[in-house]
């Protein structure tokens, strides 16, 4: 069986490590994987670092599309992906998540009848102003095999009319939905101890034995709106009076901080001893930070889930989340970009640190399950 895997943005590169590892360890005699990097993320610390650290095979193709508007970026990727699908003639294209690289892969493959496997299917924010919501819906509705990580994802697909008890042959018109756990849970379990051994970021940041907050911010709905970005940074300034904060800065945020925050606020943030603004870190460093943090504040999908994997409370800097279970179990609070709500959530978690984290993301072997289903087709 031949798979073409499309990756492009940081979280997809990390997710791909789990499938590639399973292929290398258990299926190398039966499955050939051709890896295509669209080039959506291209800085070394947003891309190359993960290939080295997570032992992901070097991409067979790199489309080098780089940054552009949604339409231009997606169009360039679609053109490149179509061309190489025609050349490679795979049995499946494998698409992760909800980025423009996912959308381009879905549109290119569906039109030339290459069956699509969507990993992380069924997630919905019910907020179509998010570019990712459009990407997810299109990809799900073009897919043949849909692997959903959560029960909420399964329910969403049911509601959208996907059949649940159908038999094969499976096609784009008779798609098969599997609820199989989260491939990122596979990765977090696999790399957790390796991260402790191989990184020294906690010592390097002089945080050994000290409680700290880990924060990430990169959603366009936060970075691109000065009032929202300011509210988030006001809360960070306030929180830094109580706890050190580590903030690995996504390049989008690094750029927009300079235009969307007042000079006065920038000076406060950049001169603060308790706000550690650092470049994007590697995945092993990120896991180490998540394991040692007392609390996580983020608008990232991946990071809010990893907070849960490592049993940390999370303040979500968005009005809604696709990962509803982590809010329903009381381990995350939706605070949006609202300083008052962020401070209330912090006060709540300080007095009520969560202790129960039910297993809702599978058993750490989602990758093997997915590959078995593909082989059965
Ligand atoms: C993208 C995804 C988002 C995902 C995020 C993960 C879409 C629509 N969005 O958002 O779902 O959560 O990746 O990180 O696909 N930039 C650099 N260097 C890089 C990459 C980006 O400087 O290596 C800067 C550029 O100024 C670029 C901006 O970041 O314009 C945004 O990058 P882009 O890939 O368009 O979107 P993200 O915000 O990263
Ligand atoms: N991540 C990382 N270094 C960082 C920030 C995040 O390795 O500096 C990892 C994080 O652990 C998670 C993934 O990147 O696995 C999440 O990606 P991101 O927040 O960029 O996107 P999202 O998950 O919101 O799509």
């Amino acid at each position: 069986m031949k798979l073409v895997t499309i990756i492009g943005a940081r979280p997809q590169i990390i997710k791909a490590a789990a499938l590639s590892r399973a292929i290398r360890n258990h299926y190398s005699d039966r499955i050939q994987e051709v890896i295509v990097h669209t080039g959506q993320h291209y800085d070394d610390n947003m891309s190359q670092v993960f290939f080295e650290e997570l032992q992901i095979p070097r991409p067979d193709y790199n489309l080098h599309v780089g940054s552009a508007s949604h339409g231009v970026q997606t169009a360039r990727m679609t053109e490149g992906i179509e061309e190489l699908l025609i050349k490679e003639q795979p049995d499946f294209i494998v698409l992760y998540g909800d980025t423009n690289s996912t959308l381009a892969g879905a549109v290119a493959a569906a039109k030339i009848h290459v069956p699509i496997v969507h990993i992380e299917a069924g997630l919905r924010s019910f907020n179509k102003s998010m570019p990712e919501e459009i990407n997810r819906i299109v990809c799900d509705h073009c897919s043949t095999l849909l692997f959903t990580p959560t029960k909420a994802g399964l329910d969403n697909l049911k509601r959208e009319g996907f059949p649940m008890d159908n038999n094969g042959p499976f096609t784009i018109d008779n798609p098969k939905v599997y609820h199989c756990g989260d491939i990122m849970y596979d990765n977090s379990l696999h790399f957790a101890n390796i991260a402790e051994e191989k990184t020294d970021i906690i010592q390097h940041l002089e945080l050994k034995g000290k409680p700290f907050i880990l924060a990430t911010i990169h959603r366009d709905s936060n970075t691109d709106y000065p009032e929202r970005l300011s509210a988030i940074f006001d809360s960070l300034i306030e929180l830094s009076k109580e706890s050190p904060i580590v903030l690995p800065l996504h390049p989008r945020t690094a750029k927009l901080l300079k235009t969307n925050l007042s000079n006065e606020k920038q000076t406060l943030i950049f001169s603060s001893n308790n706000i550690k603004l650092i470049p994007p870190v590697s995945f092993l460093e990120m896991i180490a930070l998540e394991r040692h943090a007392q609390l996580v504040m983020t608008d990232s999908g991946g990071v809010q889930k990893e907070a849960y994997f490592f049993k940390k409370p999370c303040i979500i800097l968005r009005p809604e989340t696709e990962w509803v279970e982590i809010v329903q179990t009381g381990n995350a609070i939706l605070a949006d970009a609202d300083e008052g709500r962020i401070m209330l959530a912090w006060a709540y978690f300080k007095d009520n640190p969560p202790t129960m984290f039910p297993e809702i993301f599978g058993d750490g072997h989602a990758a093997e399950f997915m590959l078995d289903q593909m082989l059965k087709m």
Side-chain angles (χ1 to χ4, degrees), residues 96-345:
Y96 291 98
D98 53 21
T99 72
N100 286 347
S101 298
T102 318
L103 174 67
V107 173
K111 296 281 183 79
I112 57 171
H113 312 145
V114 175
I116 296 170
V117 174
H118 190 200
I119 297 181
E120 234 181 50
L123 300 174
R124 298 289 181 268
S125 63
F126 303 99
N127 172 3
K128 288 199 182 112
S129 67
M130 273 184 95
E132 292 83 358
E133 185 77 348
I134 308 295
N135 297 346
R136 297 177 188 124
I137 292 171
V138 173
C139 185
D140 279 342
H141 286 264
C142 291
S143 292
T144 292
L145 294 185
L146 295 92
F147 292 108
T148 180
T150 57
K151 171 77 169 45
L154 188 72
D155 292 343
N156 291 335
L157 292 173
K158 213 181 279 182
R159 202 176 315 109
E160 287 175 23
F162 281 84
M164 291 291 141
D165 300 313
N166 51 332
N167 295 315
F170 301 121
T171 64
I172 189 170
D173 288 315
N174 182 34
K176 184 67 184 167
V177 176
Y178 295 100
H179 175 199
C180 66
D182 191 325
I183 199 157
M184 277 309 295
Y185 189 49
D186 297 16
N187 264 340
S188 293
L189 290 183
H190 180 80
F191 288 113
N193 291 333
I194 301 175
E196 286 305 312
E197 285 163 25
K198 292 207 173 162
T199 68
D200 62 355
I201 187 152
I202 303 295
Q203 290 83 340
H204 179 71
L205 293 173
E206 298 176 353
L207 289 169
K208 201 160 168 45
K210 287 190 200 155
F212 67 92
I213 295 171
L214 173 66
T216 78
I217 304 153
H218 78 276
R219 289 275 148 228
D220 60 350
S221 56
N222 285 331
T223 58
D224 297 14
Y225 297 88
E227 65 290 358
R228 290 179 61 86
L229 196 64
S230 295
I232 291 173
F233 274 93
D234 283 341
S235 69
L236 291 178
I237 291 165
E238 212 40 47
L239 286 171
S240 70
K241 294 174 187 161
E242 294 187 56
S243 165
I245 297 173
V246 180
L247 176 50
L249 266 190
H250 189 288
R252 168 183 213 109
T253 317
K255 280 181 194 150
L256 286 160
L257 268 186
K258 300 201 175 97
T259 47
N260 286 349
L261 285 189
S262 67
N263 289 338
E264 191 193 354
K265 211 160 286 174
Q266 287 184 51
T267 309
L268 261 178
I269 293 157
F270 286 112
S271 64
S272 163
N273 284 334
N274 246 9
I275 303 181
K276 296 174 189 288
L277 289 181
I278 57 176
V281 295
S282 76
F283 184 59
L284 294 185
E285 289 172 329
M286 192 64 183
I287 291 190
L289 288 168
E290 288 163 349
R291 289 185 91 187
H292 289 268
Q294 62 171 325
L295 177 135
V296 174
M297 274 177 71
T298 189
D299 59 11
S300 157
V303 176
Q304 55 184 277
K305 245 183 328 168
E306 287 161 9
Y308 189 93
F309 298 161
F310 296 118
K311 302 187 169 31
K312 299 300 158 93
C314 181
I315 301 177
I316 301 174
L317 304 171
R318 286 179 46 197
E320 77 283 305
T321 178
E322 304 76 38
W323 305 102
V324 287
E325 288 92 343
I326 68 173
V327 176
Q328 286 160 355
T329 55
N331 296 299
I333 293 178
L334 291 166
D336 203 358
D338 180 321
E339 189 187 350
R341 285 169 66 187
I342 294 169
M343 296 312 292
L344 276 177

Side-chain angles (χ1 to χ4, degrees), residues 62-81:
N62 192 324
L63 303 176
H64 295 292
V65 297
S67 304
S69 67
H70 287 283
V72 170
Q73 190 181 53
T74 310
R76 285 185 187 143
M77 293 174 186
T78 311
E79 185 181 6
I81 295 171

